[in-house]
Amino acid sequence: FGSRDVCSRSLARRGSPGVACAGQGVCRTHEAPSVMLDVSGGAGNVADGGYLSYGGSSWSGSAGGGWACNGWSGRSEASGSSRSAGGSGWSGSWSHGGCGWSSSSSRTASWPSSGGSASSSAASGGTGRGKGRGKGDTPFVPYSEKRWIKSDGTEVDLHRQIMELRSAHELLDLAGEFVCEFAVFHASATLHRIAKCEDHVEVKKDERLRWLASKAARELVKWDKQKKPQTMSKIIWAVAKLDLKLHKIVARVSEEALRKLSEFEPQQLVNVMWGYATLRTNDRQLLDQVTRAMSGRLNELGYLGVSNLSWSVAKLSVRSRWLMQELGAECLKAVSEMNGQNLANTSWAFATLRVVDLPFFDAVARSVVANCSDYAQQNLTNTIWAFAKVQIKKPDMMAAISLGVQGKADQMPAQGLANAVWSFATLNVRDNALMSAVRGQVVQRMGRFQLQNVMNSTWAFAKLTCADAEFMEQFGGEVSRRIAGLSAGDLTVAAWSFATAEHTDERVMDTLAWEILKKMKDMIYQDLSNIAWAFATLELHGFDSLLLAVAREAVAQIADFTEQNLSNTCWAYAKIGLRHDPLIRAIASETLQKLPQFSPQGLSNTLWGFATLVIKGEECLGQSAWQLICALLGELV
């Protein structure tokens, strides 16, 4: 554990020849204990027998164990023995498939000049199980009386060090000195403090974090009699914050937490929910029990608590009427205290869950107008995205956000630019100054945008009729260059954007057509309708094979078509003069069922389409088509 305890040259495959330090006590060559880890197989074995450590804690164990970060050992027995020249002795083995120290540790209160304390395992007369005194164990020393001696012989105030150190690296080094002697408080507090350090990102891949998390969880589950809610929430939150993905450990801690949910403070429950959301937990029963424990208690949360809870339930797709009602009321009270990030996260959560809470969104809009200059660009674009998602148009807020984006457009990332123009286009608000500022950045950096941002930006410019020939030509080049990476939805957006912008490039459209044919089975009803509409609008010829394939797929999905899809598809095939009898019959039948839903424009387009396809045809397509025409005329009258 750490450079002092693990020989860097013994990190080799088990059974590899030439590992001189394996199982030889002190590594005479490399000056480190002989611990072998199988880094290629993902499991590590402690070398047979014991080894001598010149300070701090020492382990001994039996080969054939193994360590896996996602495992859990229910019981582990020690074997072999070790002795240290000072400090505390440790005896244990890794359990196969498990993760964590087995603990038959003897804890001493002093750092003797020689000899020290020896821990006995099952092989040498001790029981080797648990933390009780086995035969031959030295007396247990209470933590309040324990002295913590580092490997260099210096004594430290461990509790003070854990709480005052501000560097994740320093805290990990401290854990490396004493982790085997940690109780649940030390392990969980150290893990939690590391997660809160500003430099915690730098140590996320450090394997010692997984060992520390395993130690904290094992101490909690197996030895801790109190099992405090604060300790359990800290472990779950820290594992999530450090992105350790130790799902089995979190599940085991959660089992203990469920037994004491009534004792949790609301903020501790929020921290647990945040951890589940970050780890993408999908245990619905677990989530329901935790959320029910918050019922009637959300008024005890501060503004940060309700913001984090909103984000968590949206991320986990927890849709509970009572929860959203209580959460909406508390968020409304807290709006005046929230900063830009809190407002953006909460608005995003409500929009994601499709909760249209007008009083809350009104309060958010007023707060943004009053404090817009203080908010980061990401918070502004995320907020306007949420309003667009629930179709709430606030002109004053949009004007304020527009000014904020214009002033920072050259510094904004691609996603921020795309979200801004997408939101304005979704709300049908054309802000020429905003579109001009964003257009310059999109044209300049389009080649470096992610594909999703390219599509969203182009869709917005086309919808607001701001896409000129130069813009669309550059977009066509990007489509041709990245055609293999376009999804079915992206292909639809591209075709729709060209048609809406009235930009014809037959070479690009030919490329799109071939790719659409390849991915026809991935198209949904809206894609089919929009593709037919786009090719008909551009009046392109020579694409009959594509349009017939679209017609066949449309017949199979006709029940899903909305009134707009039905009228647009009927209009498109009439416009290009391509008659597909099964499609006409299917549209006629479905339109008769959904006729009350049609808008006047939809009725007009559908009537024109059938008049062109049926009346001018040589054959009658059956009674349903004529019935439809009569019904359409009746509706129009």
Side-chain angles (χ1 to χ4, degrees):
F1 194 94
S3 59
R4 178 177 64 82
D5 292 329
V6 179
C7 173
S8 61
R9 301 190 190 181
S10 65
L11 298 175
R13 187 185 302 272
R14 275 180 299 181
S16 297
V19 183
C21 58
Q24 302 300 320
V26 175
C27 175
R28 303 296 182 186
T29 304
H30 307 135
E31 301 298 332
S34 54
V35 179
M36 282 185 62
L37 297 178
D38 181 356
V39 294
S40 63
N45 289 322
V46 181
D48 291 328
Y51 64 79
L52 178 67
S53 169
Y54 286 104
S57 305
S58 60
W59 292 267
S60 71
S62 61
W67 175 82
C69 65
N70 286 331
W72 182 264
S73 64
R75 182 173 68 88
S76 163
E77 296 186 6
S79 61
S81 63
S82 65
R83 63 187 180 89
S84 69
S88 302
W90 173 263
S91 172
S93 70
W94 298 100
S95 66
H96 183 68
C99 163
W101 293 270
S102 73
S103 117
S104 59
S105 132
S106 56
R107 296 182 170 123
T108 62
S110 62
W111 180 276
S113 57
S114 63
S117 62
S119 63
S120 300
S121 66
S124 58
T127 64
R129 300 182 184 180
K131 295 197 174 181
R133 292 178 57 187
K135 188 186 260 185
D137 283 345
T138 54
F140 175 79
V141 177
Y143 276 106
S144 59
E145 302 174 15
K146 181 173 176 60
R147 296 172 59 194
W148 300 89
I149 311 297
K150 296 178 68 174
S151 58
D152 59 5
T154 59
E155 183 176 356
V156 297
D157 185 338
L158 184 65
H159 298 76
R160 182 176 179 181
Q161 290 276 294
I162 290 173
M163 302 311 297
E164 292 185 358
L165 288 176
R166 294 292 182 269
S167 167
H169 295 281
E170 292 178 355
L171 282 164
L172 266 180
D173 290 341
L174 184 69
E177 294 279 354
F178 303 111
V179 69
C180 288
E181 302 167 77
F182 276 0
V184 65
F185 165 78
H186 307 98
S188 61
T190 305
L191 186 68
H192 185 255
R193 293 291 302 164
I194 290 172
K196 294 183 71 173
C197 288
E198 292 182 0
D199 60 345
H200 73 271
V201 177
E202 300 174 14
V203 299
K204 278 185 175 182
K205 297 184 179 180
D206 195 316
E207 286 298 315
R208 294 178 296 178
L209 279 177
R210 289 170 171 76
W211 299 353
L212 183 60
S214 170
K215 176 67 170 176
R218 183 175 178 80
E219 291 290 320
L220 171 80
V221 172
K222 194 164 187 179
W223 308 117
D224 187 19
K225 295 181 179 179
Q226 294 181 322
K227 292 182 172 52
K228 295 181 179 179
Q230 182 180 16
T231 303
M232 292 183 274
S233 67
K234 278 184 175 181
I235 293 173
I236 293 173
W237 181 88
V239 169
K241 182 71 173 178
L242 293 167
D243 195 25
L244 297 182
K245 294 183 174 62
L246 300 177
H247 299 287
K248 291 185 179 180
I249 284 180
V250 170
R252 194 68 181 87
V253 175
S254 297
E255 289 179 16
E256 301 295 335
L258 290 178
R259 299 188 179 100
K260 291 200 166 189
L261 278 181
S262 60
E263 300 178 23
F264 274 71
E265 296 294 329
Q267 185 58 52
Q268 293 167 350
L269 292 171
V270 171
N271 292 343
V272 170
M273 286 293 288
W274 186 92
Y276 292 155
T278 304
L279 293 169
R280 300 183 180 181
T281 301
N282 58 5
D283 187 336
R284 308 315 300 182
Q285 184 177 2
L286 170 65
L287 297 176
D288 288 344
Q289 291 185 63
V290 175
T291 52
R292 279 200 300 271
M294 300 183 193
S295 180
R297 306 177 66 192
L298 298 189
N299 58 346
E300 300 176 39
L301 294 173
Y303 72 91
L304 187 58
V306 294
S307 175
N308 287 343
L309 179 59
S310 300
W311 179 88
S312 301
V313 297
K315 201 74 174 176
L316 293 165
S317 297
V318 176
R319 289 179 169 84
S320 173
R321 185 181 298 275
W322 71 264
L323 177 61
M324 297 314 301
Q325 288 177 345
E326 289 190 26
L327 200 51
E330 296 305 320
C331 287
L332 179 59
K333 296 177 187 176
V335 164
S336 60
E337 301 178 71
M338 291 184 178
N339 60 23
Q341 184 177 358
N342 303 144
L343 289 174
N345 286 348
T346 309
S347 301
W348 175 89
F350 277 66
T352 300
L353 293 172
R354 302 293 194 275
V355 177
V356 185
D357 190 321
L358 292 177
F360 168 74
F361 280 103
D362 287 343
V364 171
R366 291 193 296 270
S367 182
V368 170
V369 171
N371 305 290
C372 187
S373 59
D374 299 329
Y375 294 165
Q377 56 80 20
Q378 183 179 1
N379 299 328
L380 294 176
T381 55
N382 287 350
T383 302
I384 189 60
W385 179 93
F387 276 73
K389 198 72 175 175
V390 292
Q391 288 291 303
I392 297 177
K393 189 185 299 186
K394 295 292 180 182
D396 292 344
M397 184 192 73
M398 297 182 73
I401 290 178
S402 173
L403 289 174
V405 172
Q406 290 175 50
K408 302 173 183 177
D410 59 337
Q411 306 167 23
M412 290 176 64
Q415 186 173 2
L417 295 170
N419 283 351
V421 294
W422 180 90
S423 301
F424 275 73
T426 299
L427 293 170
N428 288 313
V429 175
R430 175 169 173 166
D431 187 314
N432 290 329
L434 171 68
M435 301 307 289
S436 177
V438 174
R439 180 193 180 281
Q441 294 299 316
V442 173
V443 169
Q444 180 182 345
R445 303 187 308 187
M446 186 182 288
R448 302 193 298 274
F449 277 21
Q450 291 184 1
L451 195 54
Q452 186 64 49
N453 297 326
V454 173
M455 292 298 165
N456 287 349
S457 300
T458 305
W459 177 88
F461 275 86
K463 190 174 192 301
L464 295 175
T465 65
C466 298
D468 55 25
E470 179 188 1
F471 186 97
M472 294 307 298
E473 186 174 343
Q474 184 170 355
F475 173 66
E478 287 299 315
V479 168
S480 298
R481 185 170 67 87
R482 307 192 199 186
I483 190 67
L486 268 64
S487 65
D490 294 332
L491 294 167
T492 303
V493 169
W496 183 92
S497 298
F498 280 114
T500 304
E502 299 179 354
H503 182 82
T504 303
D505 186 331
E506 292 196 14
R507 179 182 57 82
V508 176
M509 297 305 292
D510 187 61
T511 302
L512 276 175
W514 279 107
E515 198 66 23
I516 290 170
L517 282 170
K518 292 180 186 177
K519 297 177 179 176
M520 185 62 65
K521 291 300 181 183
D522 297 330
M523 300 284 175
I524 62 173
Y525 65 94
Q526 189 171 2
D527 296 326
L528 300 170
S529 174
N530 285 342
I531 289 169
W533 178 88
F535 277 82
T537 300
L538 292 172
E539 298 183 5
L540 296 173
H541 300 286
F543 292 96
D544 287 1
S545 59
L546 169 66
L547 293 167
L548 287 172
V550 170
R552 289 190 293 270
E553 191 64 30
V555 171
Q557 300 188 36
I558 199 67
D560 297 327
F561 275 51
T562 65
E563 56 86 13
Q564 184 178 7
N565 301 142
L566 291 167
S567 62
N568 284 353
T569 305
C570 183
W571 176 89
Y573 280 84
K575 177 73 173 176
I576 58 180
L578 181 62
R579 179 167 161 169
H580 186 271
D581 292 355
L583 178 62
I584 295 174
R585 292 191 186 96
I587 291 177
S589 176
E590 196 67 23
T591 301
L592 282 171
Q593 297 180 38
K594 298 177 179 177
L595 200 56
Q597 304 171 21
F598 274 65
S599 65
Q601 182 66 48
L603 291 170
S604 177
N605 288 346
T606 307
L607 179 59
W608 180 86
F610 272 90
T612 303
L613 289 170
V614 179
I615 296 176
K616 290 176 65 176
E618 296 179 358
E619 300 177 5
C620 177
L621 292 174
Q623 197 66 23
S624 62
W626 291 107
Q627 287 176 350
L628 173 60
I629 291 174
C630 294
L632 290 170
L633 287 170
E635 286 290 331
L636 286 171
V637 170

